[in-house]
């Protein structure tokens, strides 16, 4: 038995929507087409600093790509939401594939650009030690310390935003950085005492100094460890902020002169 809707269904079936006067509107903006891989990092092309970025993960990833002789261009951005995981850096390939920083090493291996084999059996131990004790100092100086936040975090990365938006984004980033430090290193305490971070970092520098000895690289050749340590040291050296770590590295009679020389040597060779 036919229902009241049956004639309507038949009518709709007979209509071909491709015959309607549909209008195609060209997009106002199209994504830029790249012919080479692009590494998107925090920073500004107009910066007067010799470092392309003051973000440890961005500088570490950039250094690894240079160690592997991987061809790419740098794109500066302060909008991490455009990345696959909402964080910078990320690598954008010409085919449109976006690769988060934690997958860069896998991509290098698949594309035939591998790092030299490390001569250090305990490299992962040293990498963990640096990530837990040296990287937090850089994050603290850039985003939590009031002077560093004004000169680097707020002044370098958020200055293009309107004042109110700049204030809100800065507050959110600073609060988030402090929270992450407390979660990852609960031994720093709720007050997040900067002196505790500096003391831990000094002990790591002592260990790295012994490891480096008279070698060119910490792991015998360009490695993940060398990239991470280079990123931390150069940011600490170049950052326009006085800190106990920076003073310990740069004073005239510093015992860490070999580490400073290592960082400057890598910078001169690859940057």
């Amino acid at each position: 038995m036919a229902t009241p809707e049956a004639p309507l269904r038949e009518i709709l079936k007979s209509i071909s929507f491709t015959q309607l006067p549909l209008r195609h509107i060209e997009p106002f903006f199209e994504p830029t087409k790249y012919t080479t891989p692009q590494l998107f990092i925090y920073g500004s092309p107009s910066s007067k600093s010799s470092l392309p970025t003051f973000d440890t993960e961005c500088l570490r990833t950039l250094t690894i790509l240079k160690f592997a002789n991987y061809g790419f261009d740098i794109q500066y951005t302060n909008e991490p939401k455009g990345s696959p995981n909402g964080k910078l850096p990320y690598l954008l390939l010409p085919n449109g594939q976006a690769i988060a920083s934690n997958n860069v090493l896998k991509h290098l291996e698949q594309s035939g650009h591998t790092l030299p084999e490390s001569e250090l059996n305990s490299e992962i131990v040293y990498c963990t030690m640096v990530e837990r004790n040296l990287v937090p100092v850089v994050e603290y100086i850039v985003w939590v310390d009031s002077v560093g936040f004004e000169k680097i975090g707020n002044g370098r990365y958020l200055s293009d935003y309107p004042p109110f938006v700049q204030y809100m984004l800065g507050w959110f980033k600073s609060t988030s950085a402090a929270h992450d430090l407390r979660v990852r290193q609960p031994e720093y305490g709720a007050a997040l005492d900067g002196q505790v971070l500096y003391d831990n970092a000094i002990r790591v520098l002592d260990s790295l100094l012994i490891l480096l000895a008279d070698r060119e690289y910490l792991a015998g050749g360009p490695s993940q460890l060398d990239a991470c340590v280079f990123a931390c040291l150069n940011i600490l050296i170049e950052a326009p902020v006085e800190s106990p770590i920076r003073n310990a590295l740069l004073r005239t009679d510093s015992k860490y002169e070999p580490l400073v020389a290592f960082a400057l040597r890598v910078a001169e060779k690859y940057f």
Side-chain angles (χ1 to χ4, degrees):
M1 180 177 178
T3 62
E5 294 84 2
L8 179 60
R9 290 198 187 100
E10 293 301 322
I11 293 174
L12 292 175
K13 289 179 181 178
S14 67
I15 296 177
S16 174
F17 285 95
T18 59
Q19 298 176 358
L20 294 177
L22 298 178
R23 183 180 179 186
H24 176 70
I25 301 176
E26 294 292 337
F28 290 103
F29 303 99
E30 292 186 0
T32 304
K33 295 181 179 179
Y34 298 109
T35 57
T36 58
Q38 306 291 311
L39 181 67
F40 286 78
I41 63 173
Y42 279 114
S44 170
S46 61
S47 172
K48 297 179 180 179
S49 172
S50 60
L51 283 183
T53 179
F54 279 103
D55 182 82
T56 51
E57 184 61 19
C58 289
L59 188 55
R60 183 190 74 87
T61 302
L62 193 159
T63 306
I64 286 176
L65 292 175
K66 286 183 174 290
F67 279 172
N69 293 318
Y70 184 84
F72 68 99
D73 293 322
I74 296 176
Q75 295 290 338
Y76 293 100
T77 180
N78 294 321
E79 298 290 349
K81 297 302 181 182
S83 69
N85 59 357
K87 299 179 180 179
L88 293 176
Y90 71 96
L91 190 65
L92 183 64
L93 304 184
N95 63 5
Q97 181 184 3
I99 301 175
S101 60
N102 57 339
N103 290 321
V104 165
L105 286 173
K106 181 179 179 181
H107 169 69
L108 288 177
E109 183 177 350
Q110 293 174 343
S111 61
H113 295 80
T114 56
L115 293 175
E117 186 174 353
S118 175
E119 298 177 6
L120 186 63
N121 295 329
S122 56
E123 181 182 1
I124 189 171
V125 176
Y126 281 96
C127 284
T128 302
M129 180 174 63
V130 171
E131 290 171 359
R132 284 187 56 83
N133 297 284
L134 207 52
V135 173
V137 170
V138 178
E139 294 179 353
Y140 179 86
I141 290 174
V142 174
W143 292 110
V144 181
D145 178 77
S146 58
V147 177
F149 174 73
E150 287 300 323
K151 290 186 176 182
I152 305 174
N154 198 26
R156 187 179 172 90
Y157 296 138
L158 304 176
S159 58
D160 293 337
Y161 293 100
F164 177 74
V165 178
Q166 180 182 10
Y167 171 80
M168 293 301 297
L169 290 176
W171 176 85
F172 177 79
K173 178 61 179 178
S174 180
T175 304
S176 176
H179 175 266
D180 290 345
L181 288 174
R182 293 188 184 98
V183 171
R184 286 184 296 172
Q185 285 90 4
E187 65 270 20
Y188 294 152
L192 198 60
D193 186 358
Q195 189 59 49
V196 177
L197 275 76
Y198 295 140
D199 291 342
N200 287 348
I202 287 294
R203 285 192 285 270
V204 171
L205 292 178
D206 289 337
S207 299
L208 294 174
L209 186 63
I210 296 173
L211 176 64
L212 180 63
D214 58 352
R215 296 189 295 181
E216 183 178 3
Y217 295 95
L218 291 161
S223 67
Q224 295 183 59
L225 175 62
D226 289 276
C228 190
V229 173
F230 163 78
C232 292
L233 289 178
N234 270 271
I235 293 174
L236 291 170
I237 293 170
E238 293 288 337
V241 180
E242 292 296 325
S243 68
I245 299 296
R246 188 174 189 273
N247 294 336
L249 289 169
L250 297 181
R251 67 171 178 247
T252 305
D253 59 343
S254 174
K255 67 177 181 179
Y256 302 112
E257 192 278 331
L259 287 176
V260 175
F262 154 77
L264 298 178
R265 185 168 58 247
V266 172
E268 181 179 359
K269 183 175 182 178
Y270 292 96
F271 292 85

